């Protein structure tokens, strides 16, 4: 496979209707016809676009909390969302009709997690044990047979596996830095070969498991991985969050200099094929806070960013810093 992959940002791709905002875009998915589904916070909803950026519709207003986190399509053509604000994973038709919900809205499992602490590192460090579903879940992936795997998450340190009809099959993971342990499992994806990839964000790695949770491997040459997507070619797309000085890693400690957000494209052995993003974080094509990522049938990449939550509300970036970008694949 060629290692000369190139991607070019498409400025002003998104045609957001008047009256719509998204200070944080948390997740993005594409359907079989390459329609783009963006899930947002603040005005929490799903916004649907054609591949050329034309607005189609929106749905979910009044359903989600301001802490939406992920959106995915299953092989069944249905939409799956994760909302860490009310501890749920939901299934919808593509036009927003609710079909199933996992978790009890507003009820978190007991893991020792203390959300009242001042920063994410301290909150994650407060987790004393892995717990049942859910405590602020973060991501979901759907196996070809309909089974669901959920990364759980900000307030837990586990992966949960469910049957297609929502019955819990198994869970694995505890807080820590060893194999099969997690500090903020932030996203999850099942590869074409059925390996399960987990973005272990605050341990700066991706862990790889068998479908029944056996630890197989880890990739440690990544920075704060937030989002995962694996395409049919076996390309692995990873969004990697900006790590500022003063935001320590559980593995590497406090960085001595800012590490800008970026996107990496790797093969299934972990070899980096493309990588972009620099310190000019609000420039088109760079990143402030990359959080969710997906790829359409043409190989074009969509990146959703939590710009306001991560940097905007602290005044670290201007109000017009981007939250959603598209990159065209060039070969």
């Amino acid at each position: 496979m060629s290692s000369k992959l190139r991607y070019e940002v498409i400025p002003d791709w998104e045609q957001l209707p008047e009256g719509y905002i998204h200070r944080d875009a948390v997740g993005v998915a594409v359907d079989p016809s390459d329609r783009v589904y963006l899930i947002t916070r603040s005005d929490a909803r799903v916004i649907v676009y054609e591949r050329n950026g034309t607005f189609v519709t929106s749905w979910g207003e009044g359903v989600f909390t301001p802490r939406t986190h992920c959106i995915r399509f299953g092989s069944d053509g249905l939409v799956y969302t994760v909302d860490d604000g009310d501890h749920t994973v939901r299934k919808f038709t593509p036009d927003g009709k609710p079909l199933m919900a996992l978790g009890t809205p507003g009820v978190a499992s007991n893991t020792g997690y203390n959300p009242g602490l001042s920063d994410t590192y301290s909150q994650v460090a407060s987790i004393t044990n892995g717990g049942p579903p859910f405590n602020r879940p973060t991501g979901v992936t759907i196996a070809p047979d309909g089974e669901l795997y959920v990364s759980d998450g900000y307030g837990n340190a586990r992966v949960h596996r469910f049957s297609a009809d929502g019955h819990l099959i198994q869970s694995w993971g505890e807080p820590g830095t060893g194999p099969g342990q997690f500090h903020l499992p932030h996203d999850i994806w099942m590869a074409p070969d059925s390996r399960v990839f987990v973005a272990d964000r605050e341990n700066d790695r991706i862990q790889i498991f068998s479908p029944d949770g056996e630890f197989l491997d880890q990739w440690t040459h990544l920075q704060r991985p937030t989002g995962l997507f694996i395409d049919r070619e076996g390309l692995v797309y990873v969004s990697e969050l900006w790590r500022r000085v003063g935001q320590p890693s559980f593995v590497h400690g406090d960085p001595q200099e800012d590490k800008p957000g970026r996107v990496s494209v790797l093969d299934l052995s972990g070899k980096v094929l493309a990588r972009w993003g620099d310190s000019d974080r609000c420039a088109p094509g760079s990143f402030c806070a990359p959080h969710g990522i997906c790829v359409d049938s043409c190989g074009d990449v969509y990146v959703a960013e939590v710009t306001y939550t991560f940097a905007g509300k602290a005044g670290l970036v201007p109000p017009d810093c981007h939250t959603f970008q598209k990159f065209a694949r060039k070969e």
Side-chain angles (χ1 to χ4, degrees), residues 24-256:
D24 284 329
V26 295
V28 59
V30 294
D31 72 8
S33 64
D34 282 341
R35 274 189 168 179
V36 180
Y37 288 64
L38 180 71
I39 192 166
T40 65
R41 286 183 186 160
S42 298
D43 290 356
R45 54 165 65 102
V46 173
I47 306 174
V48 184
Y49 301 94
E50 298 290 2
R51 189 174 180 274
N52 65 2
T54 303
F55 172 80
V56 177
T57 189
S58 68
W59 52 262
E61 293 88 347
V63 174
F64 304 114
T65 77
R67 282 291 311 188
T68 52
H69 207 271
C70 176
I71 187 167
R72 290 277 148 76
F73 268 88
S75 58
D76 53 11
L78 299 174
V79 179
Y80 296 78
T81 65
V82 180
D83 190 334
D84 79 68
D86 73 352
H87 317 290
T88 60
V89 176
R90 299 178 187 270
K91 179 167 69 172
F92 299 89
T93 63
D95 59 359
K97 178 183 177 181
L99 299 174
M100 183 176 72
L102 303 179
T104 303
V107 178
S109 63
N110 183 8
T111 64
Y113 173 67
N114 183 353
L117 297 175
S118 61
D119 59 87
T120 298
Y121 182 91
S122 300
Q123 293 168 6
V124 170
S126 74
I127 298 169
T128 58
N129 57 275
F134 296 112
N135 195 324
R136 299 191 64 192
T138 51
V140 61
T141 190
I142 302 90
D145 64 0
E147 288 188 351
L148 288 80
Y149 292 76
V150 179
S151 54
D152 183 28
Y154 278 92
N156 206 341
R158 309 210 90 177
V159 169
H160 308 291
R161 178 186 176 191
F162 294 87
S163 65
D165 59 359
H167 289 89
L168 182 65
I169 297 173
Q170 68 174 128
S171 300
W172 72 84
E174 298 290 338
T177 59
Q181 298 179 327
F182 303 106
H183 280 130
L184 214 175
H186 197 270
D187 202 5
I188 189 165
W189 195 275
M190 178 174 275
D193 60 9
S194 296
R195 290 184 297 164
V196 177
F197 287 60
V198 181
D200 189 7
R201 192 184 101 173
E202 296 306 309
N203 283 333
D204 291 295
R205 64 181 176 179
I206 288 175
Q207 295 196 67
I208 304 172
F209 301 90
S210 71
D212 59 1
E214 177 189 2
F215 174 82
L216 301 175
D217 198 3
Q218 62 180 350
W219 296 350
T220 58
H221 57 307
L222 294 157
Q223 166 192 306
R224 225 175 184 185
T226 50
L228 285 167
F229 185 97
I230 303 177
D231 70 12
R232 294 174 182 173
E233 294 181 65
L235 294 176
V236 183
Y237 301 80
V238 184
S239 56
E240 300 176 71
L241 189 62
W242 172 17
R243 189 181 288 284
R244 303 197 299 266
V245 173
Q247 294 182 325
S249 160
F250 283 91
V251 175
H252 304 300
D254 195 345
Q256 300 305 300

